[in-house]
Amino acid sequence: MSTSTGSTADGLHILPRMQKSQLLLTLVIIVFFLLCFQTLAQTPDTATIRGRIVDQSGAAISSAEIDVVNQQTRFKRTAQTDSSGNFGIAGLPVGGNYDVTAKKPGFADAQLTNITVVGGTAADISLRMNAAADKTEITVTGVVGGIRTDQPQIGDLLSERQIQETPLLNRRITYLPMLNAANRPAINQGDVFMNQNLFTTNGTGRRQAWFEVDGTNAVDLWGRQTIFTNLQVETLQEMNVLTSPFSAEYGSSAGSTINMVTQSGSNKYHGSVVANFRPAATSASLAGFTPDTVTSGNQLTSDELYQPALSFGGPIGSSGATHFFVAGEYTWENKESPISSPIAPGSFEGKYRDWMALAKIDHQFGQNNNAFLRLNADHFVDTNPNGAVGGNNLPTVDRVFRRNTYTGAIGDTAVITPSWLNDARFQFQLASPITQFDPVILGTQFVVPISTGGTFTTGTSQSALLLNRQYEFNDTVSTTRGRHTLKFGGQVIHAHNGGDSKEFGGPIFLGQFKYNTCTDVLTVCESPAFLNDINNVQSYTQSYGNGNYTVDDTLWALFVQDDFHIRHNLTANLGLRYERQTFTDSTKNFAPRVGLVWSPWNDGKTVFRGGFGIYFSQIVDNNEANYALTGPTGVFNYTANPGQIGFPAEVADAPLPSFPAGAQVPLRSLYIRPGRAAYYNQFFPTSTLVGYQDALLSPYTEQWTIGMEHELARNWVLSIDYVGSHTVKINRPLDVDAPTPFLRTQPNQVRKGQAANCTRPFWVWWYNDHGMVCDPGEPTNPQPPYALIQSDVNDGYATYHALNINLNHRFTQHFQMLASYTWSHAIDNVDPDIPGQNPNDPNFTGREEIGPAIYDQRHRFVLSGTYNAPFKISLGGVATFGSGLPYNITTGANNFGDSGATADRPVIDGVVVSRNAGRGEPIYDVSPFIERPFALGSERVQLRLRVEAFNVFNHANFVGYSGTWGNDATPGMGFGLPLTGITNQLPARSLQFSAKLTF
C-alpha cells in the first residue's frame, strides 16, 4: 500500500490502517525492549573486551578483578570473572588503545597494553595466571589486524593511520572502500556532480551500500547514492568495510556495509591544519578529444583544486569526563569545459564550492554510562552539474546544483549490570535541499537554429527543488548467557521527502519557443527584436499538470542474533531479521542469517568460516517522482504550431495560464505504480495490461560464503573466501502495454510506431470499445489517450560468484600493506540501479535478456600500503589493475516501434546479439605518494609535507564505450570506440600537494 502523501499522482493521501497498525505494533515492541531490557548492547561504534582466566593447571580463576583503561581518555571499566573464569566488558568507545590488568591474590598481576579494538566486534583475551614470581601467558584475538574467531563476516578494517596515509583524490573518503577489490567504481552508472565516489559490491547496484556513522544510519533514503552528510578525512577514527555482513544487525542492503566511527577528544589538546591543493598546470589532459571536438561539458580541459581543513580536540574541564572534537573543511574547485558552438566558442568555468563541519562532545557520566552528541553539516554548490554547459550548450542554459545536509545524533551507552548493557541512538537528518537545480536564466526558453552553425538557446524553466527529512531511533541489547552471546534490538527510520519536479528538472512550465532557422548575423538572431517577433517562431511547447510529490516512508526492523560458542574453537552464528519498508507492499521480509567459525587449533591463528544470509533491498523514495509526474494526472507537454490552438498570439503571452480551451490532449506516455488498479481504472482498464503487478515488492539477495583466514607470520594475515549470491525480484521499468512481439532475423528490420501501437492490448480494447479500427499506417483522430504505459516490475534476477583473496600486513613501525584480489562473474537480466535498462523486446525479459552485468569486471587487484623509509620519509600509494567492463550493443534506432521503452539490439549472424555483449579495455592506475614530517620545536608539533600523484602513468582508463552498431550487417562508424569525459573515463594524471601542521 502506498504511503505517499501530499500532491501525488494517485491521489492517495492517507496511510492505510494496516500499515499504521504494523508501525504501531513495532513501536510498542521497541519501547518494550527499552523498558524491560535496559541491558548490554553494542553498536558498530563500540567494542567489547572479553576473555577467560585460568591457573597453571587450566582451572578457571573466579572473582579475579579485571580493569580496562583507555590510554587516550583514562576511561575505566571494571569487571570480575565468573565461576567459569569468564569476563566481558562491552560498550567500550573505539578511540584510543586500552590497557587490561587482571588481579587475584596469590597470583602475579597480568597486564596487556596497547589493545586496539574494532567497532562492532569483540577482542578475546586468554590469560593463564601463575604464581606471583612466574610469567603470565597471554593470547589475544579479534583486535585490529588480528583474526576474528567468532564471526564469519568478510571485510577490511581501515585504521586512522591507514585512512590518513591513503592517497585520496579531492580527499573523498568514499574512495576508501575500493581498497578492497570486491568494491568497484561506478562512475558511468550515476551522478558525477556529487561530492562522493560511487561503487558497487558483490554483483549489486550502486545504491546498495549502507553507511553507518557512530552506530546511526548515514544513508539518504530519497536517492540512496551517497552518504547523507559527508565527512572529511580528519573526522574518521576508523572505517570497517564489510563486503559480506552476516550479522542480523545489518539490513536494508545487499551490498557493502561501511561502518565509520568519528574521532573523539582526549585528555590532551590536539589538532591539525591542512592545506591541500591540486594546480591545473600539473594535470594531464583527458584522452580522446580536443577543445575543438568536444560534445559535452563533461569533457574537461582544466581542473584545479584548493582545500583548507582543520581539526581540534581535547578535554572540557579538569575532571577528564568530558571531551570535544571539532573539524571543518572547505573545497574550492574550478573546472573548465570547452564550448565548441560557433555562436560563442571558448571555455566555461564551472565552480564547485563545498564546506563541511563537525562538532562532537563525549561525556562519561560514570563508570557505567557514557554518551555523545554529534552535529555535522555539508553544503555544496556546482555551477556546471553533469557538464550542463560545454560542447554545443551555451552558458545561457546553465543550471546551478545545490545540496545542503545537516545531521544531529545522540548516543547513550548504559551498563545496568556487569552482563547487561543498553546502547541507544537517536538521529535527525535534514536535507534542505537534497537536490536543487536552479536555472541561471529562469524563464521561457528560446531556441534559435543559426544557419552558419550551432543553436542559440537562452533561458529554461526546468528547475527542481527536493527536500528530505529523516528521523531515526535504534536500540541494541546484548548479554552473555553461558556460551551464548545474545543481541537483539530494533530500528525505525522515518523519511519525509519530495518537492517540485524530478531530480534534474523535467517540466517546462514557463514554455519553450523554437524558431525558424535564422539566416542573419548572430547579433540579429540573438536580439530582442528577433526573439519577440512571433512570426519567427516555428512552434511553442509548454508543460501542464501536477509537478510535485511528497513521500512518507518508514523503514523499521527487529532482529535477534545469537553467537553460540559450541566449543572454545567453534562458534555458530544464528540470526533472524525482519524488515518492513512502508513505501513498498512487501510484508514477509524475514531475513535469516547462519554462520559458522572454526579455529581447529584454537590458537587464534587459523579459522575456517562460512555463512548464509538473506538481505532485502530498499526501493528508493524518489521512484514516486515517476509515478506522480508521469501518471495520469501528472505532467505532459503540449506543442502548437502557428495557427493551431495553444499557439500564443505574442511572445509576451508565454507562458499560457492554463491548458488551451478546445485543444486535444496529446498522446501521452505513462509511468504507473504497481498495486493501484482500483485507482487507475478510472482512466483506463488495467485488466488490459500485461504483467502489471498488484504489489510493489522489495528485491532480496541470498548470499553464501565459505573461506579461511590464516596468520602466516607475525602481523601477516591471509584470507581466501568464495562469495556467491542470487538476487531476485529486482525492480525494473517495463512497458506493461507492450505491442506484440517483433522478431527480427535480418538487419534493417523496422516496425513503425503506429503499426506497433495498433497491437497494444489497451489500444485493441479502446478501438473495439469505440467501434473503430486502428490504422497501422497513419494516426487517426480520435485515438487512445496513452501510448506507452510503463510500470515497475519485479522480474529481474542476478547471480554472482567470486573468489576474494586478501593479504594484510598490520601497521608496524615501518610497514603496512593490503593486497586485495577478486575474480568474479556477475550475470543478470537487468542491471540494478542503472538508468535506461530497457529490454530488446518487452515481451521477453527472461533468458533472452541474460548477460554479463554492466559492472562485471572479471579481475580486479588493488595493492595499497605505506613504508617508513630512512630519513623519516614515508612512501606508499595505491595501485589498481582491472579487466575491462561490458557495454551494451544497440542499433541506435527504434526497430521494435515502442519508442522510449526498448533498447533494440542488432541482428548479427541471424540472431539478436545478447545483452551487454561488448567488452572494454583493461584499467590500471598507479597513485603513489611521498611524505616527510619536520619537527617544529618539539615532536608534538610537526609539519608534514606530502605529494600525491594520481594515475602517474597517465593511462587512459575508459569505462564507457560507444555501443551503437547501427541497423546494418556491419558496424557503423565509431562503434566500439571509447566515450570520453568524466562520466566515461577515470581521471588523467594529476599531482596533489598538501602541508599538514599537527600539534
Side-chain angles (χ1 to χ4, degrees):
M1 303 297 289
S2 173
T3 61
S4 304
T5 62
S7 301
T8 60
D10 56 17
L12 300 177
H13 309 293
I14 301 175
L15 189 67
R17 292 181 180 178
M18 180 180 296
Q19 292 182 6
K20 285 185 176 180
S21 62
Q22 290 173 342
L23 180 58
L24 180 60
L25 175 60
T26 305
L27 292 174
V28 170
I29 293 173
I30 291 175
V31 170
F32 177 76
F33 281 162
L34 295 179
L35 296 179
C36 300
F37 298 100
Q38 281 287 325
T39 53
L40 185 144
Q42 180 173 296
T43 57
D45 63 323
T46 63
T48 296
I49 294 178
R50 67 189 180 196
R52 187 168 186 262
I53 300 179
V54 297
D55 61 17
Q56 299 97 315
S57 65
I61 299 178
S62 62
S63 302
E65 181 180 318
I66 310 298
D67 293 331
V68 175
V69 180
N70 187 292
Q71 296 176 354
Q72 180 173 289
T73 63
R74 308 313 299 172
F75 171 85
K76 182 179 179 181
R77 290 275 300 281
T78 300
Q80 282 191 338
T81 57
D82 59 19
S83 59
S84 300
N86 297 316
F87 72 92
I89 301 177
L92 298 174
V94 172
N97 294 340
Y98 284 88
D99 297 335
V100 179
T101 304
K103 300 177 183 179
K104 175 74 174 181
F107 293 88
D109 289 353
Q111 186 173 40
L112 183 63
T113 62
N114 295 319
I115 296 178
T116 306
V117 294
V118 181
T121 66
D124 286 300
I125 299 174
S126 177
L127 294 171
R128 184 183 295 272
M129 298 182 69
N130 296 324
D134 292 338
K135 182 180 179 180
T136 300
E137 297 179 17
I138 302 173
T139 301
V140 182
T141 62
V143 296
V144 171
I147 292 177
R148 291 206 62 179
T149 60
D150 62 339
Q151 289 282 345
Q153 294 172 170
I154 302 173
D156 291 306
L157 173 74
L158 306 179
S159 65
E160 177 186 2
R161 183 173 180 181
Q162 194 170 356
I163 292 169
Q164 297 282 346
E165 295 285 0
T166 301
L168 299 174
L169 188 66
N170 289 28
R171 290 165 42 91
R172 293 182 177 180
I173 64 172
T174 41
Y175 281 111
L176 289 168
M178 291 199 301
L179 297 180
N180 187 310
N183 298 315
R184 298 164 176 81
I187 69 165
N188 63 330
Q189 303 166 32
D191 301 330
V192 297
F193 56 85
M194 305 302 295
N195 63 343
Q196 297 169 54
N197 175 61
L198 306 178
F199 56 90
T200 65
T201 307
N202 292 345
T204 62
R206 62 187 168 88
R207 301 183 192 269
Q208 291 302 309
W210 183 268
F211 297 96
E212 292 263 343
V213 176
D214 297 330
T216 59
N217 157 60
V219 173
D220 160 34
L221 301 186
W222 172 81
R224 190 80 194 248
Q225 291 195 91
T226 58
I227 302 174
F228 192 102
T229 304
N230 200 12
L231 299 166
Q232 71 185 73
V233 174
E234 286 78 20
T235 64
L236 294 185
Q237 175 70 37
E238 69 174 35
M239 175 185 285
N240 200 357
V241 183
L242 299 175
T243 55
S244 295
F246 274 104
S247 174
E249 296 170 89
Y250 303 113
S252 301
S253 175
S256 287
T257 293
I258 316 299
N259 288 331
M260 292 171 284
V261 180
T262 59
Q263 294 276 6
S264 297
S266 66
N267 282 346
K268 294 182 179 180
Y269 293 107
H270 62 282
S272 66
V273 179
V274 180
N276 186 62
F277 55 100
R278 192 180 68 244
T282 63
S283 300
S285 299
L286 291 170
F289 65 91
T290 67
D292 297 326
T293 61
V294 297
T295 57
S296 81
N298 284 320
Q299 295 164 310
L300 304 180
T301 55
S302 176
D303 186 354
E304 61 178 334
L305 171 83
Y306 298 93
Q307 277 181 312
L310 57 86
S311 64
F312 184 62
I316 298 177
S318 58
S319 65
T322 307
H323 303 86
F324 76 94
F325 180 82
V326 295
E329 177 185 274
Y330 181 76
T331 299
W332 183 98
E333 184 177 13
N334 286 352
K335 298 175 286 187
E336 287 192 3
S337 300
I339 297 175
S340 57
S341 171
I343 296 174
S347 291
F348 177 77
E349 187 174 70
K351 296 178 172 57
Y352 175 90
R353 305 291 185 264
D354 182 9
W355 64 262
M356 290 185 287
L358 177 142
K360 184 180 181 183
I361 295 177
D362 294 89
H363 180 71
Q364 184 176 348
F365 292 98
Q367 187 179 124
N368 295 327
N369 188 263
N370 55 282
F372 74 84
L373 168 67
R374 172 174 48 83
L375 303 172
N376 55 303
D378 180 16
H379 172 282
F380 74 88
V381 58
D382 190 344
T383 65
N384 194 16
N386 234 28
V389 178
N392 203 41
N393 296 327
L394 301 177
T396 50
V397 298
D398 189 25
R399 295 180 296 167
V400 177
F401 175 81
R402 291 182 176 86
R403 176 182 166 113
N404 305 329
T405 55
Y406 312 90
T407 296
I410 298 173
D412 179 76
T413 300
V415 179
I416 308 304
T417 71
S419 60
W420 291 87
L421 180 148
N422 187 73
D423 223 325
R425 300 287 184 268
F426 175 77
Q427 179 174 256
F428 172 67
Q429 296 166 296
L430 171 65
S432 180
I434 191 70
T435 285
Q436 180 180 10
F437 284 90
D438 189 10
V440 173
I441 303 176
L442 177 62
T444 301
Q445 188 172 74
F446 304 92
V447 182
V448 184
I450 310 298
S451 61
T452 55
T455 300
F456 171 70
T457 304
T458 181
T460 180
S461 59
Q462 289 184 291
S463 61
L465 178 60
L466 299 158
L467 289 79
N468 187 15
R469 295 177 178 86
Q470 293 182 183
Y471 309 84
E472 177 188 5
F473 177 76
N474 71 71
D475 190 86
T476 305
V477 174
S478 64
T479 186
T480 300
R481 286 290 181 265
R483 291 181 291 174
H484 296 268
T485 299
L486 295 168
K487 295 183 182 180
F488 51 93
Q491 179 186 49
V492 177
I493 306 173
H494 179 74
H496 176 76
N497 53 53
D500 296 325
S501 191
K502 292 186 177 182
E503 182 176 9
F504 295 100
I508 48 176
F509 288 124
L510 300 184
Q512 178 193 71
F513 286 102
K514 288 188 177 180
Y515 289 75
N516 298 310
T517 300
C518 180
T519 59
D520 216 320
V521 297
L522 187 60
T523 54
V524 172
C525 297
E526 297 179 359
S527 67
F530 181 89
L531 297 177
N532 290 329
D533 188 348
I534 195 67
N535 295 315
N536 295 325
V537 176
Q538 182 185 75
S539 65
Y540 176 72
T541 301
Q542 185 173 327
S543 298
Y544 300 91
N546 174 34
N548 61 79
Y549 70 96
T550 303
V551 176
D552 282 290
D553 187 17
T554 301
L555 272 72
W556 59 269
L558 299 172
F559 78 90
V560 59
Q561 179 74 33
D562 180 13
D563 296 336
F564 175 34
H565 301 276
I566 302 173
R567 297 200 304 264
H568 289 301
N569 65 341
L570 181 63
T571 301
N573 312 99
L574 307 173
L576 179 64
R577 182 180 181 89
Y578 177 79
E579 299 181 3
R580 178 75 170 95
Q581 181 189 2
T582 59
F583 183 65
T584 73
D585 304 311
S586 295
T587 59
K588 300 179 181 179
N589 299 348
F590 291 95
R593 313 285 170 86
V594 179
L596 195 67
V597 184
W598 177 43
S599 178
W601 298 282
N602 199 27
D603 57 0
K605 294 184 177 181
T606 303
V607 297
F608 294 90
R609 61 195 180 191
F612 172 84
I614 292 179
Y615 305 83
F616 287 88
S617 299
Q618 178 205 348
I619 301 293
V620 293
D621 291 349
N622 71 352
N623 273 19
E624 180 66 22
N626 293 324
Y627 310 144
L629 274 67
T630 323
T633 61
V635 177
F636 64 92
N637 290 341
Y638 177 77
T639 299
N641 297 321
Q644 294 181 334
I645 298 174
F647 189 82
E650 300 289 341
V651 171
D653 291 341
L656 302 181
S658 60
F659 186 72
Q664 181 178 351
V665 176
L667 188 66
R668 297 176 58 189
S669 295
L670 301 184
Y671 199 129
I672 61 175
R673 190 195 191 284
R676 294 292 176 271
Y679 168 72
Y680 292 125
N681 281 336
Q682 64 181 302
F683 304 101
F684 54 88
T686 57
S687 60
T688 64
L689 305 181
V690 179
Y692 175 65
Q693 296 181 172
D694 59 2
L696 176 61
L697 305 178
S698 299
Y700 68 88
T701 298
E702 302 164 335
Q703 185 181 105
W704 56 93
T705 70
I706 185 170
M708 59 84 66
E709 194 169 24
H710 176 65
E711 184 178 322
L712 298 175
R714 182 177 174 83
N715 297 316
W716 286 91
V717 176
L718 172 69
S719 63
I720 302 174
D721 294 280
Y722 160 76
V723 178
S725 69
H726 180 220
T727 304
V728 295
K729 300 187 185 302
I730 299 173
N731 63 305
R732 67 183 302 165
L734 191 68
D735 188 351
V736 291
D737 186 36
T740 56
F742 181 63
L743 303 179
R744 292 179 290 125
T745 58
Q746 298 179 16
N748 283 309
Q749 290 179 303
V750 178
R751 177 170 60 177
K752 290 185 177 181
Q754 178 64 15
N757 285 339
C758 285
T759 68
R760 293 180 181 276
F762 170 62
W763 281 49
V764 171
W765 173 88
W766 190 91
Y767 276 101
N768 287 336
D769 187 65
H770 286 72
M772 300 171 59
V773 177
C774 183
D775 184 354
E778 296 292 337
T780 58
N781 192 11
Q783 62 180 350
Y786 310 117
L788 171 67
I789 302 179
Q790 281 186 305
S791 184
D792 283 332
V793 177
N794 292 101
D795 72 349
Y797 52 87
T799 59
Y800 177 81
H801 300 281
L803 175 67
N804 299 335
I805 302 176
N806 288 276
L807 178 62
N808 199 337
H809 182 269
R810 181 180 176 182
F811 240 129
T812 59
Q813 187 176 0
H814 298 290
F815 180 50
Q816 178 272 329
M817 185 198 76
L818 172 61
S820 181
Y821 168 76
T822 295
W823 172 90
S824 64
H825 190 22
I827 304 171
D828 57 26
N829 70 334
V830 62
D831 293 321
D833 308 325
I834 307 296
Q837 280 293 296
N838 295 316
N840 177 73
D841 186 327
N843 296 285
F844 307 106
T845 60
R847 59 182 179 85
E848 295 84 0
E849 290 296 305
I850 293 178
I854 200 70
Y855 36 73
D856 178 42
Q857 190 176 41
R858 300 292 175 86
H859 302 276
R860 189 164 190 267
F861 174 73
V862 183
L863 177 65
S864 60
T866 300
Y867 172 66
N868 293 338
F871 308 108
K872 298 183 179 181
I873 295 175
S874 294
L875 305 169
V878 180
T880 304
F881 305 88
S883 52
L885 292 164
Y887 60 91
N888 204 20
I889 300 175
T890 64
T891 63
N894 182 15
N895 301 78
F896 183 76
D898 194 0
S899 178
T902 57
D904 302 83
R905 301 194 294 269
V907 174
I908 301 177
D909 296 330
V911 295
V912 174
V913 69
S914 61
R915 190 175 131 267
N916 291 344
R919 181 71 65 165
E921 295 296 319
I923 294 168
Y924 69 82
D925 179 298
V926 178
S927 300
F929 79 88
I930 183 171
E931 178 180 286
R932 191 188 191 283
F934 297 89
L936 302 181
S938 71
E939 288 298 322
R940 289 200 66 230
V941 181
Q942 290 188 342
L943 177 65
R944 308 183 74 91
L945 301 181
R946 181 181 176 99
V947 180
E948 300 167 327
F950 297 94
N951 192 8
V952 67
F953 297 116
N954 199 34
H955 183 250
N957 292 310
F958 295 101
V959 296
Y961 291 82
S962 173
T964 304
W965 175 282
N967 249 335
D968 296 326
T970 57
M973 183 179 298
F975 169 76
L977 295 179
L979 302 175
T980 60
I982 58 175
T983 55
N984 291 293
Q985 60 189 125
L986 300 176
R989 181 181 59 242
S990 62
L991 298 181
Q992 193 164 274
F993 306 87
S994 68
K996 183 176 183 179
L997 178 68
T998 60
F999 55 90

